[in-house]
Amino acid sequence: MEYGSIAQYLPELISALLELATTGISLVKESALTAIASIADIAKENYIPYFQKTTEIIFNIIQNHPGKEYKELKGLTIEALGSIAEGIGKEAFQPAAAPFIEYLITVQSSKFEQVDPQKQYVLAGWQKISTVFGKDLAPFLPRILPDLFNIVEG
């Protein structure tokens, strides 16, 4: 799918998805986040007008859903933020970069259960953020790598 095929629907689509991500039950929020990630992948820099509101909502979801029962939802927040970063690029994503990196570090340093959906989301999140920020991640490496190696080995 190309951006041109959804461009005319983007404002209404994003508005509806952000509403669902804000008010829906957990499963609805998960579906909305998956759709947002997909749209950000397609829209690329055309997603920039929606960046601030989207990241506010995503970080609000992270803050308001701390329980173990929300592992999939929290993983999907990582996926959405990573897709947005890839789509809009380093400069536009800069305001959310540090909080996203800190969130990834926090999640990866938690004790994962044997089967935990967050593991794959964390690995994919680092892949996406490192693609976008490259060498700028170097100052964080001492805090990233030890736990990241533990995830890969475990």
Side-chain angles (χ1 to χ4, degrees):
M1 182 175 280
E2 294 180 11
Y3 173 70
S5 62
I6 66 164
Q8 64 182 345
Y9 308 107
L10 203 57
E12 293 82 16
L13 190 55
I14 296 300
S15 178
L17 290 169
L18 292 177
E19 178 69 21
L20 291 171
T22 304
T23 60
I25 62 172
S26 183
L27 184 61
V28 171
K29 289 178 183 183
E30 290 171 7
S31 296
L33 287 170
T34 299
I36 289 167
S38 297
I39 290 169
D41 278 337
I42 294 167
K44 306 284 185 224
E45 67 279 349
N46 296 298
Y47 199 86
I48 291 172
Y50 312 101
F51 163 74
Q52 183 175 349
K53 183 68 173 170
T54 302
T55 55
E56 286 173 10
I57 289 170
I58 291 173
F59 283 117
N60 198 11
I61 290 170
I62 291 167
Q63 185 176 14
N64 293 323
H65 295 82
K68 291 172 71 172
E69 66 273 19
Y70 297 111
K71 288 183 178 192
E72 185 70 26
L73 178 61
K74 291 187 287 187
L76 288 166
T77 63
I78 293 170
E79 178 181 63
L81 287 168
S83 293
I84 293 167
E86 278 188 321
I88 67 173
K90 179 179 172 179
E91 186 176 320
F93 192 78
Q94 195 65 46
F100 182 39
I101 291 167
E102 290 299 329
Y103 178 58
L104 282 170
I105 290 170
T106 299
V107 172
Q108 78 175 18
S109 65
S110 65
K111 300 291 184 212
F112 288 118
E113 294 176 9
Q114 188 64 25
V115 177
D116 194 323
Q118 293 180 107
K119 288 181 187 179
Q120 297 306 318
Y121 289 115
V122 166
L123 294 174
W126 284 126
Q127 181 270 321
K128 289 179 179 191
I129 204 75
S130 64
T131 300
V132 175
F133 285 91
K135 294 178 185 178
D136 292 340
L137 277 180
F140 295 97
L141 290 179
R143 295 178 52 217
I144 295 170
L145 293 179
D147 288 325
L148 192 58
F149 288 141
N150 288 335
I151 292 172
V152 173
E153 290 173 355

